[in-house]
Amino acid sequence: MDIVCIGGGPAGLYFALLMKKQDASHRVRVVERNRPYDTFGWGVVFSDQTLGNLQAADRETADEILGAFNHWDDIEVNVRGHKLVSGGHGFCGIGRKRLLNILQRRCEELGVELIFETDVQGDEQYPEADLIIASDGLNSRIRTKYAATYRPDIDMRLCRFVWLGTHKKFDAFTFAFEETEHGWFQAHAYQFDGETSTFIVEAPEDVWRAAGLETMEKDDAIAFCEKLFARYLDGHKLMSNASHLRGSAQWIRFPRVVCRTWVHHNGRAPVVLMGDAAHTAHFSVGSGTKLALEDSIELARCIGRTPGDLGTALKTYEEVRSVEVLKIQNAARNSTEWFENVERYAHLPPEQFAYSLLTRSQRISHENLRLRDRDYVEQYEDWIAQAAGARRKPQAQPIPPMLTPFTLRGVTLANRIVVSPMAQYSCVDGVPGDYHLVHLGARAMGGAGMVMVEMTCPTPDARITPGCPGLWNETQRDAFRRIVDFAHANSGAKIGLQLGHAGAKGSTRVPWEGEDLPLERGNWPLISASPQQYLDGVSDTSRAMTHEDMARVRDDFVRSTRFAAEAGFDWLELHCAHGYLLSSFISPLTNLRTDEYGGSLENRLRYPLDVFRAMRAAWPQNLPMSVRISAHDWVEGGITPDDAVEIARAFKAAGADMIDCSSGQVSPKQKPVYGRMYQTPFADRIRNEARIPTMAVGAISEADHVNSIIAAGRADLCAIARPHLANPQWTLLEAAKIGYTDTTWPKQYRSAKTQLERNLERERSMAQQETKNERFN
């Protein structure tokens, strides 16, 4: 096979040598526009896992690369005069030039033709090739030429950065943050050979411009960075090796490249994207070179597995690598956004700021950090516990973040777990009966800090279904009091009530009889911000609320609020999410009013805020009130996370103590991007920008998720829904799974506690032994 690699970076060189090694009869050429020893940039980073992949692919290359590595385990975070260090991370740095030279020599040993100082204009220059690899980098001409096939999505990120070097030797991968009168700058520094370190300086574009760097000459800009980060450089200078760039041109924005497909057939041969031509991952996760080399490994492997069937090999390559790359790119996106928004996290205590940085990509979780550096995590757990007003007893285990107490107004929750309000559709005339006593009582005894009752309605016509609970009369109040009294008498859990009005989504059947379908008979009139039919051609149509309707519904909510206080609830939440009545005012998708309650976000919030203020005045001042919002409608033209921050600020000003951050369900046209903890970023933004406590919800399913969220300051509470349907004792079980035994079980269940903990400890020991056996066999 005749193979041409356009571009002599890591991807092209490594694929070339792997293919030549696989079959010496291949003619393999690498064509590079620069000279053999030209390169730009400084050091590149690998994880220990990447080294394992290289050793399996070509041990000779891997051994030489390993011999040239500078290895470190520590990550050091410097902020506001504090230095915080975490170990066990296992990274390696190597000079980019050194890496290329190793790959070039290995190519030459195997017989690959290296052609330098040749600027390839297009793939048509190689009509004889059977396979063309477009490894021509970030600004790939080939990708641009065949954009209709590859369909690239290029997102220019928000920070400016410059890639510099220094002779200061950094013992750890070092992050340094400095606040200026213009905003925050950050440096990413790591040693990559015996005498040189990479030193990347980064700042949001507006900060970079305000500091005057846009108009500075290169030497002046470097001097600015030296002065700003002088405390970390110990008198060493910063250096640039981009002599071809002048002035502000050395400061670039990172382009996130995602291609829909990676293979184009030019009529003679397939043209395959590889490395930065196909995808990019922000330098803050150190995976760009890793991805390029692993692209090469996978494509060579696929071709080797199906000799003579190049089409199948390319199809498999694209399928396998696109999934793996997407995982890294998702993590890189999280990391990128963290660094773009350092201002958001700068208010956090240095200890929490550092932890937030370490876990920013969501690839590293709380338990993963514990595996890397147990001492660091246990010390941090003690810090979190003390900040929450708890201390571990002598000789006791550190308290996991999820089990630390949390206080709002006069209410203290024993831990950060909330049983999410989950509709059960099992009431008669709005009255909760024995089912709810058992359902809510069991979950109160399961270890959660608080149990929330499902959305409860202030009037019969506010219900979603006839089976929904209500709180418009004393019979319902007394039924709820029975449940509240049971929870208080038999558990340490607090119990909260969520009040809401279904609006245009009301008067439907219970889900097991036809979800979202109107009642077969007995439908009640529907109201909402504007006339609306939730499901086109299916749902009943609501009418727009009049001012008289608004006053009546507000008063209905106030009456229910008073009944909730009389029933003994500890917490009250107003439901302003998911397309229900109050949500229909907030979202521009459902509010088309032209009066003072429509138009701008301020106007659309007017009525929900009126209702909230009236409820807050009727609710005991020593008890908390939260508001559930849809922080993202997932529909173009709907509520965005930017809007959500403003919504949170408005409710905070009105007296809200917490924002419960959900999303979606406003429109059936929504297109959510699901994934584990997929809604947590909304809680993170609102908490750290609007500076109000938040509750995270959505695909939070294990203790490790909760510990990571709470410890990083992304939310203050985590509401767990479906896992609590499957297991009322979810909190107690998850604590036992992570080996924490200092939990309080109901006295009736204590005989099971020791046995469960013993069985789980045996399982952990067996898993650890299996891991050891795998290492040595």
Side-chain angles (χ1 to χ4, degrees):
M1 188 159 52
D2 190 322
I3 302 169
V4 174
C5 300
I6 301 173
L13 289 168
Y14 201 53
F15 179 71
L17 71 86
L18 291 178
M19 289 305 299
K20 195 67 174 176
K21 177 182 178 181
Q22 186 179 112
D23 187 342
S25 68
H26 292 320
R27 183 190 182 192
V28 186
R29 288 170 284 175
V30 178
V31 188
E32 168 60 41
R33 65 180 177 179
N34 294 312
R35 294 173 297 181
Y37 298 103
D38 280 353
T39 187
F40 306 102
W42 295 88
V44 296
V45 178
F46 295 135
S47 67
D48 288 346
Q49 180 185 5
T50 305
L51 286 179
N53 294 334
L54 296 181
Q55 287 177 322
D58 184 53
R59 180 166 291 277
E60 290 84 350
T61 304
D63 288 346
E64 191 172 356
I65 291 172
L66 184 60
F69 267 136
N70 187 73
H71 188 276
W72 67 88
D73 281 320
D74 291 349
I75 292 178
E76 177 184 308
V77 181
N78 297 272
V79 62
R80 296 195 186 280
H82 292 260
K83 180 172 78 172
L84 302 107
V85 179
S86 166
H89 297 280
F91 284 102
C92 303
I94 184 173
R96 179 175 168 83
K97 180 183 290 189
R98 182 73 181 275
L99 173 64
L100 292 179
N101 291 164
I102 290 171
L103 297 178
Q104 289 164 358
R105 282 195 297 271
R106 181 66 173 147
C107 281
E108 290 170 343
E109 287 175 7
L110 293 168
V112 174
E113 299 173 39
L114 301 181
I115 304 166
F116 293 99
E117 300 182 72
T118 301
D119 193 7
V120 178
Q121 298 299 311
D123 55 303
E124 68 278 359
Q125 294 177 224
Y126 301 96
E128 72 286 0
D130 300 305
L131 173 63
I132 296 173
I133 303 299
S135 50
D136 53 342
L138 184 61
N139 299 308
S140 169
R141 287 175 177 165
I142 302 297
R143 185 185 66 222
T144 301
K145 179 179 179 181
Y146 297 122
T149 298
Y150 299 129
R151 287 179 286 176
D153 178 9
I154 302 176
D155 177 21
M156 300 301 294
R157 299 309 306 172
L158 306 180
C159 282
R160 290 275 181 171
F161 70 95
V162 61
W163 202 287
L164 303 172
T166 179
H167 289 308
K168 163 66 189 290
K169 300 175 186 178
F170 289 91
D171 296 330
F173 196 116
T174 300
F175 294 102
F177 297 85
E178 290 294 323
E179 186 177 18
T180 71
E181 60 183 310
H182 311 293
W184 285 85
F185 283 80
Q186 57 253 12
H188 312 237
Y190 54 90
Q191 188 176 345
F192 64 83
D193 64 23
E195 59 182 25
T196 321
S197 298
T198 294
F199 200 92
I200 303 170
V201 179
E202 181 185 28
E205 173 110 6
D206 59 335
V207 174
W208 175 78
R209 290 182 186 277
L213 288 160
E214 182 182 17
T215 57
M216 280 189 199
E217 290 300 323
K218 181 161 59 177
D219 290 345
D220 293 333
I222 291 175
F224 173 92
C225 295
E226 286 174 348
K227 182 179 179 182
L228 183 59
F229 293 101
R231 73 173 77 183
Y232 312 104
L233 292 169
D234 296 334
H236 291 278
K237 296 291 186 180
L238 292 175
M239 306 175 291
S240 170
N241 65 2
S243 58
H244 61 301
L245 298 177
R246 298 183 60 81
S248 63
Q250 65 178 336
W251 292 85
I252 58 177
R253 290 167 60 195
F254 187 86
R256 182 178 186 263
V257 176
V258 180
C259 290
R260 186 75 61 86
T261 61
W262 297 3
V263 180
H264 170 81
H265 205 287
N266 67 10
R268 301 178 302 277
V271 183
V272 183
L273 298 180
M274 188 176 287
D276 283 351
H279 46 69
T280 59
H282 192 258
F283 57 82
S284 63
V285 296
S287 295
T289 304
K290 160 192 164 69
L291 290 176
L293 296 175
E294 291 178 352
D295 283 353
S296 305
I297 292 170
E298 185 59 39
L299 182 52
R301 180 187 295 136
C302 290
I303 292 173
R305 284 176 177 170
T306 57
D309 188 353
L310 186 57
T312 297
L314 294 177
K315 184 175 183 294
T316 304
Y317 161 73
E318 186 174 82
E319 289 173 351
V320 172
R321 287 303 294 159
S322 61
V323 171
E324 292 305 310
V325 166
L326 183 60
K327 293 177 184 177
I328 298 294
Q329 286 190 313
N330 285 340
R333 181 194 63 229
N334 294 336
S335 179
T336 305
E337 291 178 355
W338 194 95
F339 283 105
E340 289 173 345
N341 294 283
V342 167
E343 181 75 33
R344 179 188 299 164
Y345 304 105
H347 73 98
L348 295 174
E351 295 86 352
Q352 195 164 47
F353 180 92
Y355 182 97
S356 178
L357 184 153
L358 291 171
T359 58
R360 68 195 181 279
S361 71
Q362 296 187 14
R363 283 196 301 171
I364 297 178
S365 68
H366 193 72
E367 291 306 312
N368 187 266
L369 267 183
R370 193 189 307 278
L371 290 174
R372 296 170 184 232
D373 191 341
R374 176 175 289 274
D375 288 344
Y376 166 80
V377 169
E378 291 189 353
Q379 289 170 15
Y380 185 67
E381 286 176 333
D382 285 342
W383 182 87
I384 284 280
Q386 290 172 22
R391 288 181 180 272
R392 64 161 149 162
K393 302 168 187 174
Q395 309 306 315
Q397 300 164 281
I399 304 170
M402 65 178 272
L403 297 180
T404 58
F406 179 74
T407 300
L408 271 183
R409 297 203 183 220
V411 172
T412 297
L413 307 185
N415 59 59
R416 307 304 184 98
I417 306 299
V418 175
V419 177
S420 197
M422 295 173 284
Q424 299 297 293
Y425 309 106
S426 298
C427 290
V428 177
D429 296 328
V431 179
D434 289 347
Y435 173 85
H436 280 82
L437 177 66
V438 173
H439 168 69
L440 296 168
R443 280 144 191 87
M445 294 174 67
M450 180 165 65
V451 176
M452 291 293 295
V453 176
E454 66 199 88
M455 187 177 91
T456 300
C457 305
T459 54
D461 62 353
R463 293 174 296 172
I464 308 169
T465 76
C468 292
L471 193 50
W472 60 80
N473 61 42
E474 292 177 353
T475 301
Q476 295 159 342
R477 177 201 64 190
D478 294 344
F480 273 122
R481 182 186 291 146
R482 175 183 177 225
I483 295 168
V484 171
D485 288 348
F486 177 89
H488 287 162
N490 293 277
S491 77
K494 303 300 182 184
I495 185 162
L497 180 74
Q498 184 187 75
L499 285 176
H501 189 303
K505 297 176 76 173
S507 191
T508 65
R509 306 174 202 179
V510 295
W512 44 87
E513 293 178 359
E515 190 167 11
D516 289 329
L517 295 179
L519 295 172
E520 292 184 293
R521 57 184 176 276
N523 286 283
W524 52 83
L526 302 179
I527 55 174
S528 56
S530 301
Q532 181 188 349
Q533 188 178 35
Y534 179 65
L535 296 179
D536 292 342
V538 175
S539 303
D540 287 344
T541 299
S542 62
R543 65 171 176 82
M545 290 182 76
T546 65
H547 289 192
E548 291 75 17
D549 292 327
M550 292 182 195
R552 172 179 55 81
V553 170
R554 180 198 61 217
D555 292 345
D556 291 338
F557 271 103
V558 169
R559 180 185 59 214
S560 294
T561 297
R562 293 196 176 104
F563 278 141
E566 293 170 7
F569 283 104
D570 304 295
W571 189 295
L572 188 64
E573 179 165 282
L574 178 61
H575 202 322
C576 293
H578 301 169
Y580 296 130
L581 181 69
L582 298 180
S583 170
S584 76
F585 276 85
I586 298 173
S587 175
L589 300 175
T590 50
N591 186 340
L592 306 178
R593 300 177 73 100
T594 57
D595 62 4
E596 67 270 31
Y597 296 99
S600 68
L601 178 59
E602 180 182 7
N603 283 355
R604 300 197 310 271
L605 279 167
R606 191 184 304 274
Y607 182 60
L609 288 171
D610 286 346
V611 173
F612 178 85
R613 290 190 190 98
M615 292 171 63
R616 179 70 265 185
W619 183 243
Q621 288 303 298
N622 65 314
L623 300 181
M625 275 191 70
S626 57
V627 181
R628 172 166 281 207
I629 68 169
S630 286
H632 198 326
D633 284 347
W634 302 106
V635 177
E636 186 175 353
I639 291 295
T640 68
D642 288 341
D643 296 324
V645 174
E646 297 308 313
I647 293 167
R649 286 182 172 134
F651 277 108
K652 177 184 177 183
D657 300 296
M658 173 173 279
I659 303 298
D660 182 355
C661 304
S662 188
S663 71
Q665 301 182 51
V666 171
S667 166
K669 298 177 182 178
Q670 66 179 12
K671 294 182 179 179
V673 180
Y674 293 113
R676 62 190 178 94
M677 302 182 286
Y678 74 104
Q679 295 181 139
T680 298
F682 308 140
D684 184 345
R685 276 202 66 179
I686 289 169
R687 182 184 191 271
N688 291 299
E689 289 187 27
R691 305 289 177 85
I692 182 172
T694 58
M695 191 184 310
V697 305
I700 302 169
S701 59
E702 57 188 65
D704 198 19
H705 295 165
V706 181
N707 284 326
S708 300
I709 290 167
I710 301 302
R714 295 189 174 99
D716 300 275
L717 299 174
C718 288
I720 315 296
R722 290 177 178 86
H724 271 125
L725 289 180
N727 183 3
Q729 282 76 36
W730 184 89
T731 303
L732 298 177
L733 178 61
E734 286 299 307
K737 281 182 178 179
I738 61 174
Y740 186 74
T741 59
D742 193 18
T743 51
T744 300
W745 283 49
K747 55 182 179 290
Q748 299 90 339
Y749 298 167
R750 287 174 190 164
S751 61
K753 179 176 185 290
T754 303
Q755 182 179 10
L756 173 66
E757 291 166 350
R758 188 165 52 243
N759 290 343
L760 289 171
E761 178 58 34
R762 186 182 300 117
E763 290 176 12
R764 282 192 295 272
S765 297
M766 291 173 63
Q768 291 171 2
Q769 187 58 49
E770 288 177 5
T771 301
K772 289 181 181 178
N773 292 340
E774 289 174 0
R775 287 179 181 173
F776 292 104
N777 290 333

